[in-house]
Amino acid sequence: MKKPRSKKVTGQWFYLGCLVMGAALGPLVTSFVSSPRPRSDHPSSALAVPGVVPWDTLSKVSFVEQNGKSVLQFGQGIQALDGKEVKLRGYITPLELGASQKHFLLSTKPPSCAYCLPAGADETVEVFSKNSVAYSLDPVTLAGRFAVVGDDAGGLFYRMADAEQVTGSFRRDSIAPSVQWRN
């Protein structure tokens, strides 16, 4: 006949089991909680090459209240680009059917959904090109006349007109930066 265990022995095993589980799971939970946040798979800094306006310059936009209304306030670096010929590098989001585009959006991220904008208004430029630009999943570099558009009905902040695709090697690691854009 088996002898029943006392409550004291059963309680000791319970506490010993909890101690072992805590020792085993503690490092796992700590590493999960303290792990760094995931980085974007398409950071705008990856598009930075010499002579091209960096996207972080265009993101210096805020809303301020004037006369009881919220209005856009663009950084000085952005205002200095208004009406100038600039180069931008980014991903094409088509606005027309077909493999070639004359009117499209250029942004810091490639499109992932046919019905969604890939980036915010401060990371998107509406482009009207002189010649058709072939759609690509790779970033393209464009040169054209830049305009700050603060009151676009579509909610966009920037536009580029008379754009042309710039070809050449744009490997970031092979070129030393020669142009610095500041706000």
Side-chain angles (χ1 to χ4, degrees), residues 80-92:
L81 298 174
D82 192 23
K84 303 280 190 324
E85 292 287 323
V86 300
K87 289 181 186 173
L88 291 173
R89 183 164 173 80
Y91 297 92
I92 294 174

Side-chain angles (χ1 to χ4, degrees), residues 80-124:
L81 298 174
D82 192 23
K84 303 280 190 324
E85 292 287 323
V86 300
K87 289 181 186 173
L88 291 173
R89 183 164 173 80
Y91 297 92
I92 294 174
T93 300
L95 295 176
E96 303 171 336
L97 294 175
S100 297
Q101 303 289 310
K102 287 186 101 174
H103 180 214
F104 54 92
L105 300 177
L106 191 72
S107 73
T108 58
K109 297 171 183 68
S112 59
C113 169
Y115 305 103
C116 309
L117 288 177
D122 60 338
E123 295 180 322
T124 305

Side-chain angles (χ1 to χ4, degrees), residues 23-107:
L25 293 177
L28 180 66
V29 170
T30 303
S31 69
F32 179 74
V33 170
S34 64
S35 64
R37 295 179 64 191
R39 288 187 285 160
S40 171
D41 55 349
H42 293 285
S44 61
S45 61
L47 299 172
V49 293
V52 174
V53 176
W55 286 97
D56 63 342
T57 299
L58 300 181
S59 67
K60 307 255 188 293
V61 180
S62 59
F63 282 96
V64 295
E65 191 160 328
Q66 279 184 347
N67 301 326
K69 294 173 106 178
S70 287
V71 294
L72 287 171
Q73 181 176 9
F74 296 97
Q76 280 185 319
I78 298 170
Q79 293 296 350
L81 298 174
D82 192 23
K84 303 280 190 324
E85 292 287 323
V86 300
K87 289 181 186 173
L88 291 173
R89 183 164 173 80
Y91 297 92
I92 294 174
T93 300
L95 295 176
E96 303 171 336
L97 294 175
S100 297
Q101 303 289 310
K102 287 186 101 174
H103 180 214
F104 54 92
L105 300 177
L106 191 72
S107 73

